[in-house]
Amino acid sequence: EAQVTQNPRYLITVTGKKLTVTCSQNMNHEYMSWYRQDPGLGLRQIYYSMNVEVTDKGDVPEGYKVSRKEKRNFPLILESPSPNQTSLYFCASSLLGLAPFFGPGTRLTVL
Amino acid sequence: KNEVEQSPQNLTAQEGEFITINCSYSVGISALHWLQQHPGGGIVSLFMLSSGKKKHGRLIATINIQEKHSSLHITASHPRDSAVYICAVRSEAAGNKLTFGGGTRVLVKP
């Protein structure tokens, strides 16, 4: 089954404790992206990747890191999480120029 | 002003009614997407449009490139259509990047 998986789905953590949210797709898509969704602000892009070893900042990259060592995986790293990073996070993948497939979302709470 | 504006923000309909959601954008685009987000949170792509009209079941999406406007119609609405509908555009200048509207929350009552 074609899908984008994210883990964990839910996470409660404390300020400053490094965490990684994994994202994996099985569709051989070149393009992968991370978004955060906040009430009243909609979906905003954090980082994206056009292909392996090619990543770039989106609209709200501060406080986040990503890597793309393999085509299927695109982890999101929060080196020192802060409460303003409490949000619902989505990973998505697509072939270039085509419709995105979204992961199920990760609800993160930073205390 | 946001690049992508949706209206209305919220919509309540009775089962069976015809629903229209509007999306206006201010940039040149290569494609427009309609997405659906159910209360559980998952997001699915409904349509990708670059011109004209597409239909899938009871859903119809149209786009007018000259007017920079798109509509999503739901015919014979059903309670399972209750969701947030999100318009997103891929601008000509920004490659594969999507810019999202704020979403329209639709509630269909039985």
Side-chain angles (χ1 to χ4, degrees):
Chain A
E1 180 192 352
Q3 60 182 348
V4 178
T5 57
Q6 290 179 230
N7 283 292
R9 295 289 313 281
Y10 303 91
L11 180 60
I12 300 174
T13 190
V14 296
T15 298
K17 186 176 180 182
K18 181 179 178 179
L19 67 93
T20 299
V21 183
T22 64
C23 173
S24 184
Q25 50 94 4
N26 62 0
M27 295 167 280
N28 203 36
H29 287 167
E30 303 99 341
Y31 188 85
M32 297 186 75
S33 185
W34 276 103
Y35 303 95
R36 60 179 290 175
Q37 186 178 39
D38 302 289
L41 296 175
L43 283 157
R44 295 177 293 168
Q45 189 180 55
I46 304 170
Y47 267 95
Y48 65 95
S49 170
M50 301 285 279
N51 214 323
V52 175
E53 302 293 0
V54 181
T55 63
D56 209 344
K57 296 177 181 178
D59 298 317
V60 288
E62 295 77 21
Y64 304 95
K65 285 174 57 176
V66 293
S67 69
R68 188 94 182 270
K69 294 187 171 65
E70 306 163 282
K71 197 170 188 178
R72 63 184 294 124
N73 295 324
F74 190 45
L76 179 70
I77 303 155
L78 285 72
E79 294 268 3
S80 183
S82 63
N84 65 12
Q85 292 177 298
T86 292
S87 188
L88 179 58
Y89 291 87
F90 288 98
C91 179
S93 74
S94 70
L95 294 171
L96 291 176
L98 296 185
F101 286 75
F102 285 85
T106 294
R107 191 169 291 280
L108 173 65
T109 301
V110 183
L111 302 174
Chain B
K1 186 179 188 301
N2 291 335
E3 287 185 356
V4 184
E5 299 272 0
Q6 286 185 238
S7 63
Q9 285 187 304
N10 296 281
L11 185 160
T12 300
Q14 288 298 130
E15 184 172 355
E17 286 184 343
F18 183 84
I19 291 170
T20 295
I21 302 165
N22 296 298
C23 175
S24 296
Y25 53 91
S26 57
V27 297
I29 67 168
S30 56
L32 181 144
H33 298 262
W34 282 103
L35 311 171
Q36 181 190 56
Q37 185 173 23
H38 274 287
I43 301 173
V44 296
S45 293
L46 297 175
F47 295 104
M48 186 176 86
L49 294 160
S50 54
S51 65
K53 175 179 172 178
K54 286 191 176 180
K55 184 176 190 287
H56 186 259
R58 295 178 295 104
L59 301 178
I60 303 166
T62 64
I63 189 167
N64 185 317
I65 297 294
Q66 287 73 29
E67 294 187 4
K68 292 186 165 60
H69 181 269
S70 176
S71 293
L72 178 68
H73 306 286
I74 306 174
T75 62
S77 60
H78 189 276
R80 65 174 174 266
D81 298 324
S82 297
V84 176
Y85 293 84
I86 302 168
C87 170
V89 301
R90 183 180 300 120
S91 74
E92 291 169 332
N96 216 51
K97 180 179 183 287
L98 292 176
T99 302
F100 298 87
T104 296
R105 186 174 299 275
V106 172
L107 174 63
V108 182
K109 295 183 174 179

